[in-house]
């Protein structure tokens, strides 16, 4: 005899609810630990709002802070922050893997086999092995970056080996998970012209932000680009394009700004511009003073932060695949094509609708948050927009106003970080899982557009 499901069990059947609850639980535990006196250098309790904000920023791998990480938190507090970053980064990638399999199993056998052939990463079985590979790849990547940074901090800057190791591990985990937390008060500004530190951190950010499906496919088939999936092609092309555009825009707009790139040499400007462009992919480190950037540079950064990084990785934003898919939709419409094709593949209309929903809801969340923030503070529109987009895109770059915000504004940014981290993944999966075949069609009627 089969028993009836309890109302509680029925309520938690949808994966989106489980994901939201899991991240909320991690944030709650982190807030509790960071509220303890042992978590601060002074031995005093951190206020609830600041502890909650830091825990949310760490779990959502954002990097926005209301207190200085290196001076406010004790070693215990810093380890808690690092643990929350690791949980948030690994959690989002493994959840993306689970959702991919879950969505695939809702498809018919033929479509499932096509999806398997297309992604070359998600099989019809073996999710345990996939998650194990994700964790192993993440830990190995972090270890490699930690070794490089440790050696550089010790031999190039005279730090004691213990301190160099601690800083190397902390920044490696923060970089690969696109978190942007730093133990230095000025983030990585002391290394603005150091190619070894800047390029290593940037490489970790890029690899972590590509997404596990793309990384695993490249590891297996990098010699055969003709066989790459649509996901990998869009991700790689747009990643390179946005990195170049961001670098060129930053150098051109800030080259004469005495507060940012002005004092640097030509190669130094290029390195700093590339580093800043990379960080807009939701990493949050800065090697130049972001608060001193010109309004046009802030707006360019806003656009890059909103787009974000790759699907299934540690980056945030609406994702480059979403942006790229909509670009193909517009291009096909301009050319009068009835179908959207990427390479030798046709993109289903359901994917197009999902991408449109993610973008419009993201724009709506940012717009409403900017309006509320303007009502709560006296800061200008460009600074408020920068802070809001950074929170939604889980970037962590700041125009220097986060710590001075009133408690209500900090809570609003916390909600936005949570929405930006959990929202796009759960929304996309929810839309895919809710697909139903309609048993009837309504009469068609065209309307005027534009």
């Amino acid at each position: 005899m089969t028993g009836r499901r309890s109302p509680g069990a029925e309520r938690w059947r949808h994966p989106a609810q489980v994901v939201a609850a899991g991240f909320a639980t991690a944030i709650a535990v982190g807030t509790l630990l960071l509220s303890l006196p042992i978590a601060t250098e002074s031995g005093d309790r951190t206020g609830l709002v600041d502890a909650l904000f830091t825990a949310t920023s760490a779990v959502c791998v954002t990097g926005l802070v209301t207190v200085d990480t290196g001076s406010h938190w004790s070693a215990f507090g810093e380890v808690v922050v690092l643990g929350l970053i690791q949980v948030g980064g690994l959690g989002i990638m493994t959840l993306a893997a689970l959702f991919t399999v879950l969505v695939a199993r809702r498809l018919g056998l033929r479509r499932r086999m096509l999806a398997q052939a297309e992604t070359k990463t998600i099989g019809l079985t073996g999710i345990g092995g996939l998650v194990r590979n994700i964790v192993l790849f993440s830990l190995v990547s972090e270890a490699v970056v930690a070794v490089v940074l440790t050696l550089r901090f010790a031999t190039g800057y005279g730090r004691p080996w213990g301190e160099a190791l601690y800083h190397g591990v902390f920044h490696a985990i923060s970089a690969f998970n696109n978190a942007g937390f730093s133990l230095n008060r000025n983030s990585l500004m002391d290394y603005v012209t150091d190619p070894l530190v800047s390029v290593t951190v940037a490489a970790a950010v890029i690899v972590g932000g590509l997404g596990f499906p793309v990384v695993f496919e490249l590891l297996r088939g990098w010699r055969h680009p003709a066989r790459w999936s649509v996901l990998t092609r869009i991700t790689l092309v747009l990643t390179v394009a946005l990195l170049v555009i961001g670098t060129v825009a930053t150098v051109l707009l800030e080259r004469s700004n005495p507060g940012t790139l002005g004092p640097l040499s030509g190669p130094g400007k290029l390195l700093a511009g590339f580093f800043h462009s990379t960080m807009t992919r939701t990493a949050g480190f800065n090697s130049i003073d972001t608060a001193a950037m010109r309004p046009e540079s802030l707006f360019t950064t806003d656009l890059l932060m909103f787009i974000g990084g790759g699907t299934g990785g540690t980056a945030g934003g609406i994702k480059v695949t979403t942006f790229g898919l909509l670009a193909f939709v517009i291009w096909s419409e301009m050319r009068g094509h009835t179908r959207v094709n990427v390479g030798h593949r046709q993109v289903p209309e359901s994917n197009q609708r999902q991408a449109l929903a993610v973008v419009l809801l993201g724009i709506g969340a940012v717009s409403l948050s900017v309006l509320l923030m303007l009502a709560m503070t006296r800061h200008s529109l460009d600074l408020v927009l920068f802070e809001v987009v950074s929170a939604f895109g889980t970037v962590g770059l700041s125009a220097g106003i986060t710590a001075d915000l009133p408690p209500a504004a900090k809570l609003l940014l916390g909600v936005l970080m949570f929405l930006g981290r959990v929202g796009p993944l759960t929304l996309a999966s929810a839309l895919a899982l809710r697909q139903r075949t309609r048993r009837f069609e309504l009469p068609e009627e065209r309307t005027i557009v534009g």
Side-chain angles (χ1 to χ4, degrees):
M1 182 176 179
T2 303
R4 296 181 60 185
R5 288 180 179 269
S6 65
E10 191 72 23
R11 189 181 300 117
W12 292 100
R13 286 180 63 185
H14 200 284
Q17 295 172 316
V18 178
V19 172
F23 273 81
T25 301
I27 291 172
V29 173
T31 302
L32 177 63
L33 294 175
L34 293 177
S35 298
L36 299 175
I38 193 178
T40 64
E41 286 283 5
S42 63
D44 299 325
R45 288 184 177 272
T46 301
L48 179 61
V49 173
D50 289 331
L52 175 61
F53 189 95
T54 303
T56 304
S57 183
V59 172
C60 298
V61 290
T62 304
L64 287 174
V65 294
T66 56
V67 295
D68 180 61
T69 305
S71 61
H72 179 83
W73 303 112
S74 64
F76 173 81
E78 291 169 0
V79 170
V80 169
V81 170
L82 199 62
L84 295 176
I85 291 172
Q86 190 74 83
V87 168
L90 286 177
I92 205 67
M93 287 193 291
T94 53
L95 286 171
L98 292 172
F99 274 143
T100 304
V101 174
L102 188 59
V103 170
R105 287 177 177 173
R106 287 290 299 270
L107 303 175
L109 178 60
R110 181 174 178 272
R111 291 190 177 183
R112 287 165 62 183
M113 295 178 67
L114 289 174
Q116 180 186 10
E118 183 72 11
T119 61
K120 302 179 181 65
T121 55
I122 305 299
L124 301 181
T125 58
I127 185 62
L130 175 62
V131 172
R132 183 174 60 253
N133 289 338
I134 291 174
V135 174
L136 181 62
F137 176 78
S138 300
L139 296 179
V140 170
S141 299
E142 292 168 354
V144 171
V145 176
V147 169
V148 175
L149 293 181
T150 298
L151 292 174
R152 184 57 177 166
F153 291 154
T155 60
Y157 295 91
R159 292 180 182 267
W161 281 101
E163 180 183 337
L165 176 62
Y166 182 63
H167 278 250
V169 171
F170 190 98
H171 288 91
I173 294 176
S174 183
F176 180 80
N177 290 287
N178 281 213
F181 278 84
S182 176
L183 296 176
N184 307 314
R185 185 177 293 274
N186 60 357
S187 191
L188 298 181
M189 290 178 62
D190 292 338
Y191 312 104
V192 60
T193 57
D194 188 328
L196 187 57
V197 173
S198 295
V199 173
T200 299
V201 171
V205 169
I206 292 172
V207 172
L210 282 177
F212 78 89
V214 174
V215 170
F216 287 0
E217 182 175 350
L218 289 177
L219 289 176
R220 282 196 292 264
W222 62 274
R223 295 182 178 179
H224 307 285
R227 302 177 186 176
W228 291 349
S229 65
V230 171
L231 173 65
T232 297
R233 292 183 184 184
I234 292 179
T235 301
L236 289 181
V237 170
L238 279 182
T239 295
V240 174
L242 293 176
L243 285 174
V244 172
I245 292 172
T247 301
V248 173
T250 302
V251 172
L252 291 179
L253 295 174
E254 296 292 324
R255 67 187 185 282
S256 60
N257 186 347
T260 55
L261 301 184
L264 304 179
S265 63
K269 286 183 173 66
L270 187 61
L271 177 62
F274 168 74
F275 188 84
H276 178 75
S277 178
T278 304
M279 296 309 113
T280 61
R281 302 183 51 73
T282 78
F285 294 108
N286 62 284
S287 63
I288 57 176
D289 187 3
T290 312
M293 294 179 71
R294 290 170 172 158
E296 53 269 34
S297 300
L298 292 178
F299 185 70
T300 302
T301 303
D302 291 338
L303 297 177
L304 295 173
M305 291 191 299
F306 185 77
I307 295 173
T311 300
T314 54
I318 62 170
K319 304 295 188 295
V320 291
T321 46
T322 303
F323 178 77
L325 179 55
L326 288 183
F328 276 105
V329 171
I330 295 173
W331 178 246
S332 298
E333 189 66 28
M334 292 175 62
R335 300 183 67 186
H337 293 173
T338 58
R339 301 292 182 185
V340 177
N341 300 322
V342 179
H344 299 290
R345 296 289 187 272
Q346 179 178 301
V347 179
E349 292 184 0
S350 58
N351 276 162
Q352 302 170 38
R353 294 194 300 268
Q354 292 162 16
L356 183 62
V358 169
V359 171
L360 291 181
L361 289 174
I363 293 174
V366 168
S367 301
L368 178 60
S369 299
V370 168
L371 180 62
L372 293 175
M373 284 277 287
L374 289 174
M376 294 177 185
T377 69
R378 296 180 179 274
H379 295 292
S380 60
L381 175 60
D382 57 341
L383 298 183
V384 169
L385 178 62
F386 189 91
E387 217 75 9
V388 166
V389 175
S390 180
F392 173 78
T394 67
V395 181
L397 290 174
S398 175
I401 66 174
T402 309
D404 300 327
L405 294 175
K410 293 179 182 177
L411 292 175
L412 175 60
L413 287 183
V415 172
L416 205 56
M417 287 188 289
F418 186 82
L419 177 63
R421 177 73 282 177
V422 180
L425 174 64
T426 55
L427 174 62
S429 61
L431 292 174
L433 291 172
R434 286 179 61 87
Q435 290 183 27
R436 296 186 179 95
T437 302
R438 215 168 189 175
R439 300 183 182 278
F440 62 92
E441 294 290 340
L442 296 174
E444 185 179 276
E445 178 181 348
R446 289 186 174 273
T447 186
I448 300 176
V449 178

